[in-house]
Amino acid sequence: MVEIKFEGFEEFEAKLERLRALGATQKDFESMYRSSARPIVNEMRKFSGAKKKSAAGTLHKSITIRKAKKARNAGAKFVIGPRGGKRGAPHAHLVNLGTRGGVYTAKRFSRFSIRGSGGEVLRPKSITKRAKPGRFFVKRGFDAKVGNVEKSMFKKFDKFIKKHLEP
C-alpha cells in the first residue's frame, strides 16, 4: 500500500478545517480527492501498455479510483489501481510484476490442457514458458504524478474556499 505524506501538514490541516467551517461535505471532499487523483490513473494506464480497444482493454478499464472497503467510515480513503474480480483484470499482477520463465511440470496424475492450432486438445506433461519482464505500471504511474496530486488538491481547496466566501 502507498501512503501520501505531505510537507507542511499544518497548512493542509488548516485548509481542511476552514473548508469544514464553510460547509464542505464528505461528498465535496471525495469529489476533490477523486479529481486530484485522476492524473495518476491516466499515468498507470499509459505505463501498463494496455490499449482501450485491444485484448488488454480489460486491464485499461480496470485501472480506477475507488473507495477503500475497510475504511469507508474513516474519511475519504481511496484505492488507485487495477480492480480484481469479475469486472477487473485478473492478470494485472502478472503485467505489473512480470512472470518467471522455465519448464513447468504437471503434478502427479495430472497434465496441462492446451488447445492446438487445429482445435484439438493437447495434454503435455510439461510446458516451457518465456519470462515476461514486469512493467511496474502502478509504481511508475504513482511516482510520476504524486507531486501533482498535492498541488491539485490545494488548488481545489482554495477554489472551494473562494467560491463560498464570495457573495
Side-chain angles (χ1 to χ4, degrees):
M1 190 159 114
V2 181
E3 287 185 24
I4 300 174
K5 294 193 178 184
F6 294 100
E7 300 284 324
F9 189 72
E10 298 79 27
E11 181 188 354
F12 182 74
E13 201 169 68
K15 283 192 187 253
L16 282 177
E17 288 305 317
R18 194 161 183 201
L19 285 169
R20 284 199 178 101
L22 290 171
T25 63
Q26 187 70 17
K27 218 172 202 176
D28 293 330
F29 284 120
E30 288 175 6
S31 171
M32 287 185 251
Y33 292 149
R34 276 183 192 274
S35 61
S36 295
R38 180 59 73 211
I40 293 177
V41 170
N42 295 336
E43 271 320 276
M44 283 184 188
R45 286 178 174 173
K46 184 176 86 177
F47 287 130
S48 74
K51 305 284 187 255
K52 276 186 189 177
K53 296 184 179 187
S54 70
T58 55
L59 176 58
H60 183 88
K61 286 184 241 172
S62 78
I63 300 172
T64 58
I65 304 165
R66 61 202 180 282
K67 282 187 112 175
K69 288 183 180 178
K70 294 185 179 181
R72 287 194 185 205
N73 296 327
K77 294 189 178 185
F78 293 94
V79 175
I80 304 169
R83 266 192 323 254
K86 289 181 184 178
R87 294 177 44 214
H91 63 290
H93 65 289
L94 300 173
V95 176
N96 189 38
L97 302 173
T99 60
R100 66 178 176 84
V103 177
Y104 291 80
T105 305
K107 294 193 167 125
R108 190 175 162 199
F109 302 121
S110 66
R111 295 178 183 249
F112 295 103
S113 292
I114 303 170
R115 200 160 289 279
S117 59
E120 72 279 4
V121 176
L122 305 172
R123 299 192 187 278
K125 285 186 177 182
S126 64
I127 56 174
T128 304
K129 292 185 178 181
R130 284 192 328 251
K132 295 267 185 175
R135 290 182 175 265
F136 303 100
F137 63 89
V138 173
K139 183 175 179 2
R140 289 172 59 201
F142 183 81
D143 290 345
K145 293 294 181 177
V146 72
N148 297 357
V149 171
E150 182 181 354
K151 291 174 193 164
S152 176
M153 282 174 58
F154 274 118
K155 283 180 187 175
K156 288 181 190 330
F157 289 170
D158 288 339
K159 186 177 177 182
F160 187 89
I161 290 169
K162 286 177 186 171
K163 179 181 168 187
H164 284 79
L165 283 180
E166 293 177 3

